[in-house]
Structures are given as structure tokens and as C-alpha cells.
Amino acid sequence: MTGAGRAGKVWLVGAGPGDPGLLTLKGARALAGCDTLVYDYLASQAILELAPPQCERIYVGKQAGRHSLTQDEITALIVKLGHDGKKVVRLKGGDVFVFARGGEEARALAEAGVPFEIVPGVTSAIAGPAYAGIPVTHRAHNTSFTVATGHEDPTKGESSLDFAKLANRKATTIFLMAMTNLAAITAKLREHGLPGDTPVGIVHEGTKPTQEVVVATLDTVLDAVARSGISAPAVVVFGNVVNEREHIRWFDAQPLFGKRVLVTRPAHQTGDFATRLWEAGAEPIVAPVIAIVPPDDIAAAAAAVARVRDYDWVAFTSRNGVDAFFDRLRAIERDARAFGDTKVAAIGPKTAAALAARGIRVDLVPTTFVNEAVAAELLARTQPGERVLLYRAQEARDVLPETLRLHGRTVDVVAAYRTRFVDDPELGAKTERADIVTFTSSSTVAGFVHNVPDAARALAPKRVAAIGPITAQTAREHGIRVDIVADEFTVDGLLFALAEPAAV
Ligand code: SAH
């Protein structure tokens, strides 16, 4: 039992096979509440980041040149942490009970009286084939599947595998950890009567942007492996279900599959974009080159919020402006009622969504996001003499307020926030790894150039994508060639443009 104070607990959590979206909701909740994270599998950064920043992270896996803990040492460690009153997440790849020694760890916890929970994960044995378009069962092909370890060499000593049972073309046999012993395994299967034309599928790094798939037959698979160079970690599937891939291949058929995409937007906004890239089969490389910080004139930013109902209209040009507005409203202990009858305009659907999330139904969302056109739409809805508050970035362009003033509106431009550059000494190297570099605002271009002064040359061999014409223009002013400009100036629009066959 734990001593005085709160009781510790250990969650054995399966992280899934790679795609961070395959972590369970329960796993995410356990991670969000843990004091200590013990992991041996190189889980995606997105999953590790679900643990709170102050959480102690202990990597117990193999690392070149460093002593790694033995299984007994790992088990002793989580028992001790639990005893010490910690909330511990023990994170494993795939599922915790599929060739992952979760059974031993759970037993040690039970015997030591440390409370624990098991949070199953999506196993690579099923998800790897699924992302290759291979269903592990299919009415037309089989009524059972077996998951086996290929770790033991079947030609040496006693193998506990019953190859007579596994050599069944009508059942599906799935091997994990089989690449080293593949020659011996295929020989055994043939010896036990599995026909040479039995389909074989190999899925390397399934569910990841680095996924590779080789399809062959029992007779040709060793040649196919040698030719393709496909290697561990891989799932090897024997059986007729492998033939379904030609019909239902999906993940690695997406246009962005396997592309490495540099994301330069601020850290608090990368999550959504990064997740969407993962879903499209791309690998996001996160490199925030700007951060959103308070403006120079904080007093003016606060004063405008306090007297917002004095205006006929308030216009927000970004989600950051909305966030800043409501942070300040909260600081003076007020809420959305502060708007009174003041009408609200939102430039862009994401800005409108941020307002809607706070209970504000906007009165105007211009149909385009280019300043000149926005001005025209605002003019159509306002009268000369009306007062407009523009709550926006400190470094924004002046076209919008100037046009409104020219037509007799009284415009107060208030800086809600400003962007500052973030130093990233790795940016050059990250850019080199990337296939596509994305800019979601003019400031991200400036932030990139701040870190990589010779941006034009660094980006010459890359595909460069801009969220809209203004951002593209800024890039070109720095000598950067822009290949892709989104039609709809949102992250969704950018993703759509990236996925066009011509773009990649
Ligand atoms: N508990 C894990 C398996 C651990 S054993 C699970 O349920 O998935 C490690 C083996 O799993 C590897 O040798 C490989 O065969 C397989 N594996 C794990 N992740 C994989 C992935 N993304 N793609 C293909 N195989 C994977």
C-alpha cells in the first residue's frame, strides 16, 4: 500500500501503432492526468505532448550507445513510482497485451498492491494491414485470424508455434517481429503444405507517413523483400485477404501520403493543422517561427475592450484577436454582454467560429478575406458617421481602415496583439527534410526569413505553399518562389490546394 497522502496508480496504456489519432480517448485522459510517463516506444510527439508539461518523462527503451533498462528494472520502476503515490502512465506501442509484456507488468503491480488500469490500444497486427487496405477477416476469404510472433527462429530448437495449424490459406496468419526469420518461417509454412501462390502482404511502419507495403506470394516473397529493401518493423500477413488491397487500398493512395510538410504557424495553432496533415498521410514537421504576444500598448488594447458598446461595429480579423479580446474581458470580470447592441464582423470563418464558441453570433462574415473586398462589404452594411472598432494585429496593413475612413466612417484601429519571431536553430535542417513548406500568414514568411536569411535558396528545391495572395506576395518580395496558393484562404483551403494532383 502507499503510505500517507494520496494513493498512486498505474495506467498501462496502448498508444496504437503510430498514427496519433488512433490513441483511445481513455488513453488521452490518462496521459493528461499523469505525474510520470514511462515509455519505451518512440511514440509520436503528438501523443507525448498530451502529458502535462510538468509531467516527468522517463524513456526506458533502447537507445544507441546507452544502457537500456531490462524488463525487470522497468517493472520495478513502475511498481516503485506507484508506491510513491505517483499517477503513472506506462505507454506501449500498439496494444499493451499483444507481445508487449503488459501481462507481466500488470501482475507485478497486482502482487505489489499497486492499483492499476489497463487501457487497450489499437494493435499493429490489425491496424497495419487495415492501413494497407487488408482486412484481417473477410466473409469471402476466412473465418479466423491468428496473430503470431516471428521472434523465435523456428529452425532452431523448439518452436512453440504450431505451423501445421498456421499453414492454412483460408485462415489469416499475421506475424509480428518476423522480418529477421522470414526465410525460416516461409520454409516452415511451405513444409506444412501452404501453397506457393498464397498471397503475402508486408506492411512496414503501418499507419505512418513512412508506411511501405509489399505484396507477393509465398513463393516470391523473399525475392520481393530483397528487391524492395522493406525492413522491420513490419507486420506480415499470409492469406487470401491480402488480395483485397488492390480494391480497398486507401491510406497510401492519398495525394499527400508520405510528404513531409513544414508547418510554420504559431505553436498554439499547429495542433489542428498537424492532425489534418497526419490524416492525409503526410508527416507534419512542426516549426513555429512566430508567437502571439501582447501588443506594445496594452492599455489601449484593454481600454477598447472596456468601451466596446460605444461602437456601432467591432471587426475581428483573426482568431487571435478574438482570444485577446475575451482574455481582457475576463480580466475586468465581464462577459459577452459587454457588446451590448454593437454589431460584430468576423473576417474569415475561423474567426466567426471563435466568436460563436463564445456565444456571439456574428452579423457579418465577408465572403472574401482580401482587405479591399472586406472594406466594400463593411461599407455596404454601415452608414457614414458610424463608429467602427478594428481589433487586430499590431502589424496589419492599413488598407481596410483607410478605405472606411475615406467613406466617412470613424475608425479606431487598436492593436490586440503582436507577433514576434521565434528563434529556431534547427529550422534549416527541418526545411531540408521537408518536401513542402507552408506559410499561413505574411508574418510566418518574415519569421522564416528571420531564421533562414537565405530563404530563397533554401526553399528553391521545395514546394512552397501560401494560404493566400497577400502571403504569397510577401514571400515573393523575399525572392521566394511560390508554387501553391490556396483558393480559400484558410487552413482547410490550403490542405485542399496541397492535395490537388498538380500540387504534389
Ligand atoms: N504491442 C505491439 C506489438 C509490439 S511487438 C502492438 O500491439 O502492435 C513489436 C512488433 O510490432 C514489431 O516488430 C512489428 O512487427 C510490429 N509493429 C509495431 N508497430 C508497427 C507498425 N507501425 N507497423 C508495422 N509493424 C509494427
Side-chain angles (χ1 to χ4, degrees):
M1 288 303 297
T2 54
R6 67 195 187 128
K9 187 162 177 177
V10 178
W11 283 260
L12 297 180
V13 177
D19 178 347
L22 294 177
L23 177 73
T24 64
L25 291 174
K26 197 165 180 179
R29 214 160 54 224
L31 275 163
C34 73
D35 305 311
T36 309
L37 172 59
V38 179
Y39 65 108
D40 52 8
Y41 143 87
L42 291 170
S44 77
Q45 199 56 27
I47 288 181
L48 298 181
E49 275 170 14
L50 293 174
Q54 72 277 10
C55 162
E56 184 190 8
R57 290 161 163 78
I58 306 177
Y59 180 69
V60 295
K62 296 190 188 78
Q63 223 166 21
R66 261 214 242 159
H67 168 75
S68 60
L69 298 190
T70 64
Q71 183 58 46
D72 287 346
E73 288 169 331
I74 295 169
T75 306
L77 174 69
I78 59 172
V79 168
K80 176 177 185 315
L81 288 166
H83 262 312
D84 289 349
K86 297 278 199 271
K87 290 191 164 65
V88 183
V89 165
R90 169 75 177 110
L91 191 68
K92 292 168 177 289
D95 178 68
V96 290
F97 283 171
V98 178
F99 302 127
R101 313 203 57 175
E104 284 129 285
E105 292 175 17
R107 183 149 167 188
L109 291 164
E111 285 172 358
V114 176
F116 63 91
E117 277 186 37
I118 311 295
V119 184
V122 174
T123 178
S124 65
I126 294 173
Y131 271 53
I134 300 171
V136 295
T137 76
H138 188 296
R139 268 180 81 92
H141 302 304
N142 64 330
T143 50
S144 72
F145 66 91
T146 306
V147 180
T149 171
H151 195 55
E152 29 188 74
D153 183 343
T155 57
K156 289 206 188 97
E158 286 281 294
S159 170
S160 45
L161 289 173
D162 183 349
F163 277 92
K165 280 226 175 77
L166 297 179
N168 178 356
R169 184 180 173 141
K170 292 218 176 93
T172 301
T173 303
I174 299 158
F175 276 95
L176 303 188
M177 300 175 281
M179 293 308 276
T180 310
N181 294 323
L182 196 58
I185 289 166
T186 50
K188 277 275 175 195
L189 288 170
R190 192 176 296 112
E191 204 177 288
H192 285 87
L194 190 66
D197 62 352
T198 303
V200 184
I202 302 181
V203 188
H204 164 83
E205 302 218 322
T207 81
K208 300 186 188 188
T210 42
Q211 172 172 304
E212 280 172 52
V213 180
V214 165
V215 171
T217 65
L218 185 59
D219 280 343
T220 61
V221 67
L222 293 180
D223 276 350
V225 168
R227 229 176 315 113
S228 65
I230 196 167
S231 61
V235 176
V236 185
V237 186
F238 294 87
N240 287 341
V241 289
V242 171
N243 288 338
E244 290 300 315
R245 173 168 163 83
E246 66 180 276
H247 307 293
I248 59 177
R249 176 179 177 186
W250 63 280
F251 180 65
D252 50 12
Q254 300 177 100
L256 279 181
F257 171 76
K259 298 283 182 244
R260 289 181 291 251
V261 182
L262 193 79
V263 179
T264 54
R265 61 194 339 224
H268 70 283
Q269 292 176 344
T270 45
D272 186 37
F273 193 19
T275 307
R276 306 291 297 278
L277 286 168
W278 266 105
E279 281 168 0
E283 178 189 346
I285 303 175
V286 176
V289 294
I290 56 169
I292 306 298
V293 293
D296 293 334
D297 191 348
I298 294 176
V305 170
R307 47 162 221 272
V308 62
R309 64 163 71 208
D310 295 349
Y311 292 94
D312 298 296
W313 281 85
V314 52
F316 294 97
T317 56
S318 72
R319 195 161 69 184
N320 293 323
V322 177
D323 290 344
F325 189 94
F326 278 86
D327 285 349
R328 292 199 176 98
L329 207 51
R330 218 178 1 260
I332 54 171
E333 297 181 356
R334 302 202 37 206
D335 60 28
R337 286 169 293 181
F339 282 95
D341 289 334
T342 302
K343 292 199 170 61
V344 179
I347 318 291
K350 283 277 149 68
T351 311
L355 284 158
R358 289 167 164 101
I360 305 294
R361 234 189 74 206
V362 296
D363 301 281
L364 171 65
V365 189
T367 47
T368 153
F369 316 135
V370 180
N371 274 322
E372 289 75 356
V374 170
E377 295 199 41
L378 264 172
L379 282 174
R381 291 287 301 273
T382 54
Q383 303 297 324
E386 283 195 333
R387 301 195 59 195
V388 180
L389 169 64
L390 208 53
Y391 207 63
R392 62 172 200 177
Q394 185 166 309
E395 47 282 287
R397 299 188 321 145
D398 282 328
V399 179
L400 183 54
E402 275 165 12
T403 314
L404 294 173
R405 283 192 192 115
L406 204 63
H407 291 84
R409 278 55 166 179
T410 307
V411 184
D412 283 349
V413 178
V414 175
Y417 61 91
R418 75 181 171 84
T419 53
R420 81 167 165 74
F421 297 148
V422 173
D423 291 320
D424 182 355
E426 309 284 309
L427 188 60
K430 287 179 183 173
T431 304
E432 230 163 77
R433 280 190 56 223
D435 301 302
I436 300 169
V437 173
T438 61
F439 293 115
T440 43
S441 66
S442 289
S443 341
T444 59
V445 177
F448 187 92
V449 174
H450 165 80
N451 280 290
V452 181
D454 199 359
R457 213 181 52 200
L459 294 176
K462 310 292 169 187
R463 307 288 292 168
V464 176
I467 198 162
I470 307 275
T471 305
Q473 183 55 32
T474 308
R476 289 185 187 114
E477 281 161 14
H478 287 284
I480 298 167
R481 190 201 65 252
V482 179
D483 306 290
I484 306 151
V485 183
D487 287 333
E488 193 200 304
F489 312 145
T490 61
V491 164
D492 284 346
L494 184 58
L495 276 166
F496 186 77
L498 283 175
E500 297 272 300
V504 289

